[in-house]
Amino acid sequence: MIEATNLTKLFRDKKRGEVRAADGISFRVAPGEIYGLLGANGAGKTTTLRLLATLLKPTAGTAVIDGHDVVREPEKVRAHVGFLAASTALYGRLTAREMIAYFGRLNGLAESEIDARIRRLADDLDMHEFLDRRCEKFSTGMKQKTSIARTLVHDPAVMIFDEPTLGLDVMTARAIVRFVRDCRARGKTVIYSTHVMSEVEKLCDRVGIIHDGRLLAEGTVPELLARAGETDLEEAFVKLSGIKEAA
Amino acid sequence: MSWHGITTVYVKELRDLLRDKRTVRSMIIIPVVVMPALTFGVGKIATVLVSKARAETPTVMVLGGADSPGVVARLRSEAKIRLVPEAADWKQEVSDKRIRAAVKLPEHFEADLRTGAALPVVIYDYQGELKSGFAAGEIEKFFHGLSTQTAKERLAEHGLPATLVQPFETRRENVAPPEKVGGNALGGIVPYMIIILCFMGAVYPALDLTAGEKERGTMETLLCSPVSRVDIVLGKFLMVLTSSLSAMALSLLSMAASFFLLGSLIAGGARAAAKAASGPLPMIDPLGIFGVLGMVLPVAVLFSAVIFTVALFAKSFKEAQSYVQPMVFIVIMPAIVGMLPGIDLNARLALVPILNLSLVCKEMLSGVWHWGYIGVIFGSTCLYAAAALALAVRMFKREDVIFRA
């Protein structure tokens, strides 16, 4: 379960002054649900997800992740979260097995448990062939599988995905989408940020439209289309977010 | 703080760094192979060149001297110089190194010597040229001998004792034990090398584990784990410290081994020099070495924490390098000042980091143990190191540092 209440994050920027990257964002995601955070570049998606993953501390407001407060218990929150983003890379000089085991240890798992988890994840993600090879030599697909295994090694209840298909080829992106669906099937609480409309339509049970750090609209895809009076999600997104199109 | 978290991060960083060719190069190959090879290689080459230059019998030209056949004949009989006939372009010959030096005998030198009215003998050499300097030295030695002998002969002619011009002799005798002689001779250079090696050993891993991780995108991955920020900093910091101390220890061991292996020439020369000077062979107080290593520990902590903190601000490895490179001068300067003669440890200097270490190590290596200063220096350096480490933790917790865009 994710429960964000008035999440706010202010940054100081030398040129722009005070920037409200997240401005009073509140939403709720239930277990077994995929919540899509839809926004343009710089809308505040990454900041919101980093606040949920406790990589950043909120200036105001808070969020409760699987019963733990992000401000008061950040370490416990991280123990219940799997965070996958385009910016979370792998250690190139470690093998896939060592990478997964490292995060198992960081999550406090016993060695026997780590071995068992690695075996299961390697079966599920078809990783046996490259499990003992160094990550620096991996293809994009292998890297994504290893990253997924890294996020799942401690079997978190909450999964946070920050534009996970960014820059990936079609087949790898499809594998990620399949994996996200699988997380929902296993009863995990999933939050998924993207600016790709087709992914939102395919995956998300509910969607929040974010712009300039504010959550402007929320609902299922049909609800958002109805509210905007549009039949196309992209048009609905432009209308609801109030983005002015370039001439 | 959890030991499990710290050791997990540390073990991973150790494995990761040992697989990195650049680390192996900077941590093992450069200190173990390159540094001693350079130090002793250059030393050996210099020793060989100097010995070769000394072994050469220099060619010397006598200018004038036709009316002083006795002096010229004695000069010719000198085994350590070889006379060549006078030539008009003697200056050019010295410059072209065809001859090493020239000596001009004044007119009627031999006759004037007997009357006591001789004018000065001028020796021409090529300043800065080693072999020319040796030749001039030999000529000087010859004429000094001639001068002394002439004085004695003249005194004898007048029935006066030789002690009239030299009533007594002076002699210097060393009372310092060998380790003090060694401490004074090597006491400056050993701490200097230890300080530099500690610093250099910490640089690469500190940069790689901070700015390098940010650049590669693995820092964010690591921060997603439930391990506390303090544990991450301590795990990484311990790795940097390990590298700093290993580079220093490996370098010292390697230098010691090189010294003993290649030492036949150097040690042989030192022994001969010590024998010639009737002095003891320089040694270092072995306890002093342990003392120095003990004192270096908080300095290595200080270096590791400071470099770690500075590199943390950078977005990339290259940017971190540009921050850390000027720090080398900040480290080298006090270490060099500590090597200068005449700078002694006092209460004020005991609080200046690096310089205090350099000065106290010089004393410890010569067997002098000022426990008061040692305590102050160790304590103050521990405090500086703790403050630097606390700063590293604080900076690591700052979002604007870790996620600096």
Side-chain angles (χ1 to χ4, degrees):
Chain A
M1 167 78 86
I2 300 172
E3 209 164 353
T5 315
N6 195 31
L7 265 184
T8 303
K9 184 68 184 176
L10 305 181
F11 290 116
R12 292 234 160 256
D13 187 89
K14 275 181 191 164
K15 285 179 193 161
R16 293 183 293 164
E18 190 180 86
V19 178
R20 289 183 167 264
D23 192 359
I25 290 176
S26 301
F27 61 86
R28 201 165 170 275
V29 190
E33 185 184 22
I34 300 175
Y35 186 90
L37 213 49
L38 187 61
N41 288 339
K45 302 187 298 287
T46 298
T47 302
T48 306
L49 297 188
R50 280 178 172 175
L51 288 168
L52 294 177
T54 77
L55 296 176
L56 298 176
K57 214 180 244 178
T59 313
T62 192
V64 176
I65 308 275
D66 210 31
H68 300 285
D69 190 285
V70 293
V71 179
R72 289 197 305 272
E73 306 163 290
E75 280 143 30
K76 281 187 181 161
V77 167
R78 288 199 293 274
H80 291 83
V81 162
F83 183 74
L84 185 69
S87 55
T88 49
L90 301 172
Y91 289 105
R93 295 187 289 261
L94 295 189
T95 65
R97 185 191 298 278
E98 288 165 347
M99 181 79 199
I100 304 164
Y102 180 44
F103 278 82
R105 282 181 207 111
L106 291 174
N107 277 285
L109 302 183
E111 290 300 315
S112 56
E113 206 176 345
I114 291 171
D115 289 343
R117 289 271 169 89
I118 290 175
R119 265 198 306 275
R120 200 162 61 227
L121 286 165
D123 287 340
D124 291 351
L125 296 162
D126 192 20
M127 290 176 66
H128 287 288
E129 194 200 326
F130 59 87
L131 201 54
D132 292 304
R133 274 159 53 189
R134 289 196 194 176
C135 298
E136 63 197 353
K137 303 266 164 73
F138 284 0
S139 66
T140 315
M142 290 168 174
K143 279 182 184 162
Q144 275 303 337
K145 283 182 178 181
T146 310
S147 287
I148 290 168
R150 188 266 303 165
T151 57
L152 283 178
V153 67
H154 57 301
D155 196 20
V158 175
M159 291 298 295
I160 300 174
F161 295 94
D162 185 14
E163 305 200 66
T165 57
L166 193 74
L168 298 183
D169 62 72
V170 178
M171 296 314 288
T172 317
R174 280 170 67 91
I176 296 276
V177 169
R178 253 200 324 272
F179 165 68
V180 176
R181 278 205 193 104
D182 189 43
C183 286
R184 173 173 57 192
R186 283 194 256 167
K188 294 186 189 298
T189 308
V190 180
I191 183 161
Y192 188 98
S193 93
T194 185
H195 59 257
V196 181
M197 303 297 154
S198 59
E199 280 182 4
V200 173
E201 285 174 320
K202 267 193 272 181
L203 270 176
C204 302
D205 300 309
R206 280 190 310 127
V207 182
I209 292 178
I210 189 168
H211 185 65
D212 273 346
R214 282 179 298 138
L215 194 65
L216 300 174
E218 197 183 25
T220 61
V221 172
E223 281 169 1
L224 292 174
L225 290 173
R227 195 185 305 177
E230 296 283 351
T231 51
D232 179 69
L233 185 59
E234 193 173 297
E235 295 302 324
F237 167 73
V238 172
K239 211 173 213 180
L240 292 170
S241 63
I243 298 173
K244 283 185 185 135
E245 290 185 79
Chain B
M1 201 175 87
S2 117
W3 276 111
H4 173 75
I6 296 168
T7 49
T8 302
V9 173
Y10 175 77
V11 170
K12 178 260 155 194
E13 298 299 4
L14 184 64
R15 174 183 287 169
D16 198 355
L17 276 177
L18 285 175
R19 284 181 185 171
D20 182 15
K21 282 179 192 152
R22 283 187 296 182
T23 309
V24 175
R25 220 166 27 222
S26 77
M27 226 171 107
I28 301 168
I29 296 175
I30 289 178
V32 173
V33 181
V34 180
M35 288 278 281
L38 279 177
T39 311
F40 291 104
V42 171
K44 175 136 185 159
I45 289 167
T47 314
V48 169
L49 288 178
V50 171
S51 309
K52 234 176 170 180
R54 276 198 189 282
E56 183 190 289
T57 307
T59 45
V60 173
M61 189 180 283
V62 179
L63 308 173
D67 49 7
S68 305
V71 174
V72 175
R74 282 178 65 177
L75 201 53
R76 185 165 284 121
S77 67
E78 277 291 309
K80 289 184 177 170
I81 51 176
R82 188 164 62 83
L83 292 193
V84 293
E86 186 175 349
D89 63 341
W90 59 270
K91 224 175 220 176
Q92 193 57 45
E93 290 207 27
V94 174
S95 300
D96 294 346
K97 296 170 191 172
R98 288 199 296 273
I99 60 168
R100 297 297 178 193
V103 55
K104 186 173 174 57
L105 294 179
E107 275 184 33
H108 320 300
F109 176 69
E110 214 167 280
D112 290 346
L113 203 59
R114 278 191 291 274
T115 61
L119 292 168
V121 173
V122 185
I123 300 166
Y124 299 95
D125 70 342
Y126 199 92
Q127 211 172 359
E129 213 278 305
L130 191 70
K131 290 179 181 174
S132 182
F134 285 152
E138 290 300 333
I139 302 167
E140 256 173 354
K141 217 190 300 174
F142 170 81
F143 281 101
H144 178 73
L146 182 64
S147 167
T148 310
Q149 196 195 346
T150 307
K152 281 181 182 168
E153 281 170 5
R154 263 201 233 137
L155 289 166
E157 275 171 23
H158 292 85
L160 295 168
T163 51
L164 189 72
V165 290
Q166 196 180 1
F168 59 88
E169 280 187 354
T170 55
R171 199 172 64 225
R172 263 165 67 169
E173 277 194 21
N174 173 44
V175 294
E179 65 272 14
K180 296 213 173 175
V181 176
N184 287 330
L186 301 169
I189 191 77
V190 170
Y192 168 80
M193 291 204 69
I194 287 177
I195 288 166
I196 300 298
L197 290 167
C198 266
F199 183 85
M200 297 311 286
V203 170
Y204 179 76
L207 267 55
D208 190 66
L209 300 189
T210 52
E213 277 224 29
K214 276 175 158 182
E215 193 176 9
R216 294 190 294 270
T218 49
M219 185 67 92
E220 194 168 329
T221 315
L222 179 60
L223 294 175
C224 295
S225 74
V227 173
S228 77
R229 304 293 190 251
V230 177
D231 294 353
I232 293 175
V233 173
L234 291 179
K236 284 174 175 286
F237 158 77
L238 283 176
M239 182 58 238
V240 177
L241 181 65
T242 304
S243 172
S244 167
L245 293 173
S246 318
M248 185 264 290
L250 287 172
S251 299
L252 287 184
L253 281 175
S254 159
M255 278 186 189
S258 314
F259 185 81
F260 286 114
L261 288 174
L262 302 171
S264 56
L265 188 77
I266 297 156
R271 217 169 276 136
K275 207 174 171 185
S278 307
L281 184 66
M283 284 168 59
I284 285 184
D285 184 2
L287 267 179
I289 291 281
F290 287 106
V292 168
L293 293 177
M295 295 298 283
V296 155
L297 198 63
V299 174
V301 173
L302 177 66
F303 284 160
S304 303
V306 169
I307 302 169
F308 186 90
T309 309
V310 171
L312 209 52
F313 279 91
K315 283 177 284 185
S316 66
F317 194 91
K318 222 172 181 178
E319 189 186 338
Q321 272 180 318
S322 70
Y323 294 163
V324 173
Q325 266 162 2
M327 288 172 66
V328 176
F329 299 104
I330 301 172
V331 171
I332 285 179
M333 281 320 288
I336 288 178
V337 171
M339 278 166 64
L340 297 177
I343 297 200
D344 292 320
L345 194 57
N346 59 40
R348 209 177 297 165
L349 292 182
L351 294 172
V352 181
I354 307 171
L355 175 61
N356 56 10
L357 176 79
S358 188
L359 291 172
V360 81
C361 289
K362 202 156 82 174
E363 295 202 338
M364 287 197 297
L365 288 171
S366 59
V368 178
W369 298 79
H370 287 302
W371 289 107
Y373 285 143
I374 291 170
V376 169
I377 292 167
F378 191 81
S380 63
T381 313
C382 282
L383 272 179
Y384 301 144
L389 195 51
L391 184 69
V393 172
R394 206 170 153 180
M395 287 301 128
F396 199 82
K397 284 180 174 175
R398 271 178 56 173
E399 292 165 2
D400 58 336
V401 172
I402 292 294
F403 292 102
R404 197 178 140 227

